[in-house]
Amino acid sequence: MSDERRADLGRRLTDVRARIAEACAAAGRDPAEVALLAVTKTIPAADVAALIDLGLDAFGENRAQEASAKVAAVAGLRPEARPRWHFVGNLQRNKARVVVPWVTRLETVDSARLANAVDAATRKAHDDGSRAEPVLPVLIQYSVDGDPARGGVADDGLLELASHVAGLPGLDLRGLMAVAPLGSEPDRAFAAIAAAAARLRAEHPGAHELSAGMSGDLDVAIRHGSTVVRVGTALVGERALTSR
């Protein structure tokens, strides 16, 4: 990696942390309440290693095969590090077995069928020794507008899905994940997300995490109670689009 790229990542990280701190101050919140998840899809393992050197330890990926290779590559580059890997993309049921050996948290459970597949894959991976932990922390992906094309469970199915997930022995329900729809009014979208998260917590008090807000709207998300912001472009720069 070039010194220029390393310096650029350092400047970007400083700027993102400053934005989080400013948003928390404006909302009357402690910055320690909001975690930064670096979304590292399509960037090389060397960049992830540099971000580890800069103090980050949580990374989000959204393509199962790419992520699996990157996890192994980062382990080779930084064998002493213990990064936490979050899966933040739509996951096909038949790819659950690819993800569960290394994932720390899956943020996109949006159906009972997917939950069942991940639960079975998690228990099998623990039994065969490819996963150390017997239980996988998960978030339910919530759809603000109910559009099935973008993934996420619609409002009227949220609590039913939550009860199903909570009853699976291989999964640990930790909270909600959501994306504000493109073109939506941010305050309205994040208010709806916050209300859904509150309903979820009322039924499942341990489900206290709210993963919401990205590079363009993290400030609004923090104002509405986000505990995790998923930042890609602002942190690593523009990336070429690739197919899944």
Side-chain angles (χ1 to χ4, degrees):
M1 168 180 288
S2 70
D3 291 342
E4 182 180 1
R5 175 58 172 165
R6 190 179 300 274
D8 179 55
L9 289 173
R11 286 190 296 268
R12 288 176 177 276
L13 177 56
T14 297
D15 291 345
V16 169
R17 283 176 167 160
R19 280 185 63 193
I20 293 171
E22 290 167 5
C24 287
R29 298 181 62 191
D30 183 346
E33 297 174 359
V34 181
L36 170 59
L37 179 64
V39 178
T40 50
K41 62 183 182 183
T42 78
I43 72 165
D47 280 14
V48 178
L51 291 170
I52 290 173
D53 295 342
L54 290 166
L56 288 183
D57 67 354
F59 303 94
E61 291 284 330
N62 75 339
R63 296 178 177 91
Q65 298 297 144
E66 175 196 340
S68 297
K70 190 177 300 179
V71 168
V74 171
L77 291 170
R78 296 294 183 273
E80 301 303 317
R82 295 293 180 267
R84 293 175 290 122
W85 295 97
H86 295 220
F87 196 82
V88 297
N90 293 333
L91 182 64
Q92 297 175 349
R93 295 191 304 277
N94 63 356
K95 293 293 181 65
R97 59 183 175 77
V98 177
V99 169
V100 296
W102 52 262
V103 74
T104 306
R105 186 162 82 188
L106 173 62
E107 300 202 358
T108 51
V109 173
D110 63 357
S111 71
R113 293 178 71 191
L114 177 58
N116 291 343
V118 174
D119 169 67
T122 299
R123 290 185 286 115
K124 182 178 185 301
H126 179 64
D127 288 344
D128 68 22
S130 60
R131 178 179 176 83
E133 298 81 7
V135 176
L136 174 60
V138 300
L139 303 185
I140 290 177
Q141 183 178 354
Y142 173 70
S143 174
V144 178
D145 58 5
D147 185 349
R150 283 194 290 269
V153 62
D155 195 74
D156 59 2
L158 174 62
L159 295 182
E160 181 180 358
L161 177 57
S163 294
H164 183 80
V165 171
L168 294 173
L171 304 184
D172 178 15
L173 178 59
R174 294 286 183 88
L176 197 75
M177 177 270 211
V179 180
L182 287 174
S184 64
E185 199 285 313
D187 266 306
R188 180 174 297 179
F190 284 109
I193 291 167
R199 292 196 300 276
L200 178 63
R201 285 194 302 271
E203 296 287 333
H204 303 275
H208 55 83
E209 296 285 1
L210 175 55
S211 176
M214 300 186 291
S215 292
D217 54 21
L218 66 86
D219 318 79
V220 185
I222 287 171
R223 186 161 68 244
H224 287 280
S226 174
T227 64
V228 180
V229 290
R230 307 181 306 273
V231 181
T233 301
L235 185 59
V236 302
E238 295 291 343
R239 292 162 295 192
L241 294 177
T242 60
S243 64
R244 290 181 184 275

